[in-house]
């Protein structure tokens, strides 16, 4: 994931060396997010000159590059604005040219760092090219830098905020953005939309205010307000061509540290830290200001102003609070959640989206996995696919095996890594072995990988941790891009692994005409998954109540599923036992009458997965068998399905309907929440359950 870090000092003497160290340390604090390259932009020796240094690879490599440059580290800057970035490439491969900061031109008039994706960059690029601009990177970000220059060249009288607003009117997509410019020395503009951004404030004196006013556009009449309601991007008749700076309103800002005395405020030494993530800022200051979407921060002569490009709407706050965080870093990173596990469960609308980001083109129905594309012809010719994993990762393999078989007609084996090794299972050169692992370091999976490599099989990794052993040692693979998972119980990694494997199945069958309809159906359904997970998360209140009233005191719990939902039952049972220490078992509904039914009485709680697919009637019959033995099941069913007389159920948890092979992505979420609330109610440290470690690096 990309990371943003910026540092502005005002009336605080800092040597160039100190400034460089501050921003490089800021980047290092963001490393855990995963990235492929990094870069910085600082002042050069000549006024107005910007020095940009960037490298592919770790921040360590960038540090070495900086150290090798002939920079005067002792030079003192009383006022300075530096920006830095770690990049997780989306448009354009991880090459030095594509690293951020990205400049508008060779003279570095405008220099930008950007998290997110500009969706209309092609149209903008075409427009800017038609004006004679020459693009030198493959990134979407370059169109932002060039847009700044283009608008500035037309209207150099604009101040930095006005200019930024004009640029934002043209952008579609998501962004966290920092910009510096030789035309506005020592100033920074920062803005966000769908991508987090915050500002840390550090002063020797106490802040006089713990909020900043938001400066809105005037409701109507002004040129800028008109532009705000006239989205022109991509149309070729852009507002960039008809700016009238004279009509733009002048700022009536207040600064962070004023006490109403403008003179005093402009003489207050102050430092600002801008970042996509608090972890890099809290080591400098605990005073944090979290920006909201569409906020435009302008830092200039020690003052911080927050502007909005549009007029104020009903219900919009007029200020942003500067919060004081006394918490430890760990606590802070949890945000408003009590545990990492809870946070990660609730992150799933974002993490599932990130897994698909840049890979699934919903408009054309095309799936591209860059890490596999060169290998696909070879993989398609394989005799067998063997999926190998442990624990939750193994369940994601089970959940997607049927789809792999259906779309590709290649036999698929699913193996627990330890058992696979114990059996010394035969592996051949024309086998493709797929290793699924969140950490990429699990010893059993690593040993199985070594075993398969020795036998000449092609190996694929489906891994969350970039740079992990499995990611490095497999021939090729897919990073699931779920973001770091800190809670020991795996939650968002499961849903992202699941989606990565579905994308893999779709990629493998991309030239099959007979399966085009099925592929389209799945791709359309994938697009809705993040939003549908959001809907499922609203069940938390009902689930907490169910746990409080009916499940807490139980010793044991059964989960019933069939077909695609068997994997969900197993995964739910694993979650429940690992963090609540309650015995739980996932049972294939068809197996009930072959033994398990003996356990059923009015006491034993049973959770049945009865969402609508072709096996629905069969699961219903299993439920009838349970009810006939005085059992009272909890059902996970689709919204609006009146499964049974409600009096016969302990509870019905309703989830949205999706296509059969993706339903498990939605059905698993209530089970994650049940395990979480059972554990919390029992006073268990959810993030660190007994006897378990996040990364199992021993056999
Ligand atoms: C890569 C970039 C991504 C960028 C995209 C488009 C990385 C980590 N990812 O993503 O930021 O948006 O190009 O240019 O640089 N691999 C393995 N084993 C594994 C996992 C991955 O060998 O277990 C390999 C892949 O084959 C590939 C590389 O690692 O060569 C990166 O994989 P992945 O991040 O999934 O590839 P892209 O989606 O192309
Ligand atoms: C369960 C869990 C474990 C892991 C297993 C494999 O919540 O986290 O079952 O899934 O230890 O770990 P990875 O995926 O890192 O290989």
């Amino acid at each position: 994931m990309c990371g943003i870090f910026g540092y502005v000092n005002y009336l605080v003497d800092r040597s160039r060396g100190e400034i460089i160290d501050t921003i490089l340390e800021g980047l290092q604090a963001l490393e855990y997010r995963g990235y492929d390259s990094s870069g910085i932009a600082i002042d050069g020796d000549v006024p107005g000159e910007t020095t940009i240094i960037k490298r592919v690879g770790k921040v360590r490599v960038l540090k070495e590059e900086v150290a090798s440059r002939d920079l005067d580290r002792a030079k003192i800057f009383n006022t300075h604005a530096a920006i830095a970035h770690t990049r997780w490439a989306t448009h354009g491969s991880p090459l030095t040219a594509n690293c951020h900061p990205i400049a508008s031109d060779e003279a570095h008039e405008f220099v930008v760092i950007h998290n997110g994706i500009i969706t209309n960059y092609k149209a903008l690029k075409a427009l800017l090219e038609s004006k004679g601009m020459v693009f030198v990177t493959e990134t979407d970000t370059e169109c932002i830098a060039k847009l700044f220059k283009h608008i500035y060249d037309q209207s150099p009288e604009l101040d930095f905020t006005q200019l930024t607003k004009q640029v934002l009117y043209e952008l579609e997509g998501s962004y966290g953005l920092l910009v510096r410019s030789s035309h506005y020395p020592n100033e920074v503009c920062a803005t966000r939309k769908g991508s987090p951004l915050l500002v840390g404030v550090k002063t020797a004196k106490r802040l006089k205010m713990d909020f900043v006013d938001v400066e809105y556009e005037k409701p109507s009449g002004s040129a800028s307000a008109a532009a705000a309601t006239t989205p022109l991007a991509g149309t070729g008749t852009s507002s960039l061509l008809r700016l009238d700076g004279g009509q733009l309103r002048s700022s009536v800002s207040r600064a962070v540290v004023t006490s109403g005395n403008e003179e005093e405020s402009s003489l207050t030494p102050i430092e600002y830290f801008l970042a996509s993530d608090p972890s890099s800022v809290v080591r400098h200051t605990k005073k944090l200001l979290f920006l909201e979407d569409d906020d435009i921060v302008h830092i200039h002569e020690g003052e911080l102003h927050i502007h909005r490009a549009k007029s104020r709407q009903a219900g919009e706050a007029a200020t942003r609070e500067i919060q004081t965080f006394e918490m430890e870093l760990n606590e802070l990173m949890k945000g408003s959640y009590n545990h990492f596990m809870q946070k990660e469960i609730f992150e799933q609308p974002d993490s599932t989206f990130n897994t698909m980001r840049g890979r699934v083109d919903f408009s054309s129905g095309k799936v591209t996995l860059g890490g596999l594309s060169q290998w696909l012809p070879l993989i398609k010719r394989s005799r067998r696919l063997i999926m190998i994993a442990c624990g939750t990762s193994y369940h994601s393999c089970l959940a997607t095996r049927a789809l792999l078989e259906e779309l590709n007609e290649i036999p698929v084996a699913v193996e627990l890594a330890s058992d696979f090794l114990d059996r010394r299972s035969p592996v051949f050169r024309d086998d493709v072995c797929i290793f699924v692992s969140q950490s990429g370091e699990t010893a059993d999976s690593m040993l199985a990988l070594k075993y398969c490599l020795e036998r000449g099989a092609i190996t694929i990794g489906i891994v969350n941790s970039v740079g992990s052993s499995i990611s490095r040692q497999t021939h090729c693979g897919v990073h699931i891009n779920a973001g770091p998972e800190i809670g020991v119980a795996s939650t968002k990694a499961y849903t992202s692994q699941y989606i990565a494997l579905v994308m893999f199945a779709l990629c493998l069958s991309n030239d099959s005409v007979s399966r085009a309809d099925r592929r389209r159906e799945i791709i359309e359904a994938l697009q809705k998954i993040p939003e549908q997970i959001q809907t499922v998360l609203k069940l938390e209140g009902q689930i907490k109540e169910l746990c409080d009233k009916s499940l807490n005191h139980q010793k044991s719990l059964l989960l019933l599923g069939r077909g695609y939902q068997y994997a969900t039952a197993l995964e739910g049972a694993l979650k429940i036992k690992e963090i609540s220490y309650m015995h739980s078992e996932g049972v294939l509904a068809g197996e009930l009458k072959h033994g398990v039914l003996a356990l059923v009485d009015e006491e034993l709680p049973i959770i049945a997965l009865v969402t609508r697919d072709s096996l629905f009637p069969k699961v219903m019959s299993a439920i009838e068998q349970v009810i006939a033995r005085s059992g009272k099941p909890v059902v996970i069913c689709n919204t609006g399905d009146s499964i049974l007389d409600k009096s016969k159920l302990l509870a019905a948890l309703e989830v949205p309907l999706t296509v059969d092979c993706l339903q498990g992505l939605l059905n698993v979420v209530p089970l994650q929440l049940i395990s979480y609330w059972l554990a919390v109610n029992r006073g268990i440290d959810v993030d660190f359950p007994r006897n378990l470690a996040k990364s199992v690096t021993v056999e």
Side-chain angles (χ1 to χ4, degrees):
M1 311 298 123
C2 300
I4 284 178
F5 191 80
Y7 172 62
V8 182
N9 56 311
Y10 176 73
L11 303 184
V12 179
D13 281 352
R14 290 279 176 249
S15 70
R16 181 183 277 139
E18 285 173 316
I19 291 170
I20 290 175
D21 292 346
T22 302
I23 54 178
L24 287 177
E25 278 162 23
L27 291 186
Q28 269 172 329
L30 298 170
E31 279 192 310
Y32 76 94
R33 298 159 67 95
Y35 63 101
D36 45 50
S37 48
S38 57
I40 61 172
I42 52 173
D43 283 1
D45 285 326
V46 182
E49 182 190 62
T50 300
T51 302
I52 299 178
I53 307 175
K54 42 198 197 175
R55 286 300 295 257
V56 173
K58 295 280 160 198
V59 175
R60 182 175 37 80
V61 180
L62 177 66
K63 258 186 171 170
E64 285 162 12
E65 176 67 26
V66 172
S68 74
R69 297 284 180 102
D70 184 23
L71 297 171
D72 174 9
R73 283 180 62 92
K75 184 178 163 94
I76 298 292
F77 293 87
N78 182 249
T79 301
H80 184 276
I83 60 176
H85 192 254
T86 50
R87 173 171 188 250
W88 177 285
T90 52
H91 290 82
S93 44
L95 300 173
T96 308
N98 294 338
C99 306
H100 301 206
I102 301 248
S104 54
D105 59 337
E106 281 180 14
H108 300 170
E109 285 179 46
F110 290 89
V111 177
V112 171
I113 60 178
H114 167 220
N115 285 2
I117 293 179
I118 302 303
T119 48
N120 63 334
Y121 86 99
K122 283 191 181 144
L124 288 172
K125 187 174 173 182
L127 179 78
L128 292 164
E129 278 176 338
S130 74
K131 310 266 168 231
M133 291 195 150
V134 179
F135 281 70
V136 294
T137 78
E138 300 159 341
T139 64
D140 50 342
T141 306
E142 191 175 0
C143 73
I144 307 177
K146 287 198 152 49
L147 207 46
F148 266 98
K149 176 166 163 50
H150 180 73
I151 299 179
Y152 176 83
D153 286 347
Q154 299 210 343
S155 311
E157 72 283 2
L158 294 180
D159 70 27
F160 207 0
T161 308
Q162 292 163 342
L163 177 62
T164 305
K165 284 183 188 175
Q166 295 304 319
V167 170
L168 295 185
Y169 293 144
E170 307 302 327
L171 298 185
E172 288 169 15
S174 67
Y175 44 80
L177 204 65
L178 299 194
V179 195
R180 51 165 270 155
S181 166
S182 53
H183 299 295
Y184 307 95
N186 305 321
E187 298 181 33
V188 160
C189 270
T191 182
R192 61 160 281 181
K193 184 179 206 152
S195 187
L197 202 60
L198 64 111
V199 188
V201 186
K202 186 175 174 187
T203 48
K205 286 186 189 174
R206 273 188 55 213
L207 294 179
K208 299 236 169 66
M209 288 191 285
D210 57 3
F211 65 91
V212 178
D213 287 335
V214 180
E215 297 164 40
Y216 286 88
E217 276 299 298
K218 282 184 181 147
S220 61
S222 73
S224 48
T229 54
T230 319
L232 291 154
T235 61
T237 57
S238 173
S239 62
L240 4 160
L241 305 176
R242 49 161 192 74
L243 267 178
D244 179 358
Q247 284 180 272
L248 292 163
R249 82 194 183 100
S250 62
S251 148
V252 287
S253 306
R254 281 168 80 183
V256 160
V257 285
T258 54
S259 52
N261 179 343
E262 290 287 326
E263 220 167 273
E264 186 191 316
S265 81
S266 64
L267 292 176
T268 307
I270 190 162
E271 291 165 284
Y272 292 103
F273 302 85
L274 300 109
S276 49
D277 180 319
S279 60
S280 55
V281 174
V282 283
R283 63 200 69 208
H284 298 289
T285 174
K286 302 266 194 253
K287 303 272 180 211
L288 303 184
L289 189 155
F290 290 85
L291 301 183
E292 293 189 6
D293 273 355
D294 299 317
D295 282 353
I296 302 168
V297 162
H298 181 206
I299 297 176
H300 176 37
E301 294 193 337
E303 294 191 358
L304 178 147
H305 301 273
I306 298 179
H307 301 264
R308 305 277 295 178
K310 294 185 180 169
S311 56
R312 190 170 167 202
Q313 306 295 310
E316 282 189 345
T319 57
R320 298 282 176 268
E321 203 187 329
I322 301 171
Q323 304 173 27
T324 304
F325 279 80
E326 298 302 349
M327 290 181 263
E328 290 304 308
L329 185 57
N330 244 11
E331 298 281 315
L332 183 63
M333 287 170 69
K334 262 187 241 163
S336 57
Y337 296 100
N338 294 320
H339 299 96
F340 281 110
M341 181 183 177
Q342 190 188 26
K343 174 171 179 266
E344 285 155 11
I345 292 172
F346 277 82
E347 266 171 11
Q348 289 176 108
D350 289 334
S351 53
T352 48
F353 178 79
N354 285 335
T355 305
M356 295 186 270
R357 188 151 88 162
R359 292 167 165 164
V360 185
D361 182 340
F362 295 107
S363 48
S364 68
K366 216 173 152 231
V367 180
T368 313
L369 294 173
L372 294 186
S373 41
Q374 287 181 0
W375 292 83
L376 273 185
L378 214 56
I379 298 169
K380 284 180 185 172
R381 285 205 297 275
S382 68
R383 201 173 60 154
R384 175 173 67 148
L385 301 177
I386 313 177
M387 305 167 93
I388 303 168
C390 307
T392 290
S393 301
Y394 169 75
H395 296 151
S396 74
C397 302
L398 282 181
T400 50
R401 170 202 213 157
L403 183 70
L404 262 170
E405 287 175 338
E406 178 196 334
L407 290 183
N408 299 292
E409 286 174 13
I410 306 175
V412 182
V414 179
E415 298 277 0
L416 282 164
S418 55
D419 185 51
F420 179 74
L421 279 174
D422 290 347
R423 293 189 344 258
R424 316 274 321 153
S425 190
V427 173
F428 305 100
R429 295 182 69 82
D430 49 4
D431 283 331
V432 168
C433 303
I434 304 157
F435 293 85
V436 183
S437 173
Q438 188 286 128
S439 63
E441 302 293 351
T442 304
D444 288 322
S445 303
M446 275 300 298
L447 288 170
L449 168 61
K450 191 162 167 275
Y451 176 88
C452 296
L453 285 170
E454 283 165 3
R455 280 153 186 77
I458 298 175
T459 59
I460 302 178
I462 308 285
V463 169
N464 195 28
S465 302
V466 179
S468 61
S469 303
I470 294 181
S471 162
R472 281 183 284 110
Q473 293 176 29
T474 39
H475 290 107
C476 56
V478 182
H479 289 120
I480 64 172
N481 300 351
E485 193 179 62
I486 293 166
V488 163
S490 198
T491 50
K492 64 174 181 172
Y494 177 76
T495 41
S496 285
Q497 288 165 341
Y498 191 138
I499 289 182
L501 288 165
V502 169
M503 291 191 298
F504 173 58
L506 291 166
C507 262
L508 267 190
S509 70
N510 58 5
D511 47 10
S512 159
V513 180
S514 60
R515 297 186 184 91
D517 288 348
R518 174 68 162 154
R519 287 166 42 79
R520 194 167 314 113
E521 175 192 42
I522 296 169
I523 290 170
E524 279 168 14
L526 274 175
Q527 187 169 19
K528 296 195 193 121
I529 289 292
E531 194 188 320
Q532 289 180 317
I533 292 182
Q534 194 77 60
T535 306
V536 181
L537 289 168
K538 294 193 186 128
L539 291 173
E540 191 182 33
Q542 192 191 349
I543 287 173
K544 184 172 179 311
E545 195 185 313
L546 172 71
C547 292
D548 287 344
K549 283 197 183 146
S550 312
L551 300 180
N552 270 348
H553 58 284
Q554 298 288 352
K555 285 209 171 61
S556 195
L557 203 153
L558 284 191
L559 289 101
L560 282 188
R562 190 163 183 148
Y564 284 110
Q565 299 317 316
Y566 178 45
T568 315
L570 291 180
E571 174 56 10
L574 176 62
K575 284 292 88 87
I576 290 167
K577 68 185 118 188
E578 84 179 299
I579 59 161
S580 75
Y581 311 155
M582 182 193 280
H583 169 250
S584 59
E585 231 180 287
V587 179
L588 192 74
E591 282 291 290
L592 197 58
K593 54 187 171 303
H594 299 292
V596 185
L597 208 51
L599 288 175
V600 175
D601 58 17
E602 64 277 10
E603 294 294 323
L604 180 73
I606 291 179
I607 302 178
L609 295 147
V610 269
T611 37
R612 290 210 176 255
D613 59 25
S614 58
L615 298 173
F616 179 79
K618 293 191 174 174
V619 188
M620 279 307 295
S621 106
I623 293 183
E624 301 285 358
Q625 291 173 40
V626 168
I627 291 174
R629 279 148 192 89
S630 311
K632 249 188 153 194
V634 174
V635 295
I636 295 181
C637 59
N638 287 128
T639 315
D641 272 358
S642 44
I643 296 284
L644 284 167
D645 177 357
K646 290 260 155 54
S647 68
K648 295 193 173 140
L649 301 175
L650 203 52
L653 302 172
E654 296 188 355
V655 299
L657 179 68
T658 180
V659 61
D660 54 2
C661 59
L662 302 184
Q663 189 69 52
L665 287 166
L666 305 180
N667 293 5
V668 78
V669 176
L671 300 177
Q672 295 170 340
L673 286 169
I674 288 176
S675 70
Y676 175 78
W677 281 107
L678 282 177
V680 171
N681 287 341
R682 290 170 172 218
I684 292 165
D685 186 347
V686 175
D687 287 329
F688 301 100
R690 71 183 176 208
N691 308 336
L692 298 177
K694 184 67 193 155
S695 198
V696 189
T697 50
V698 289
E699 260 187 277

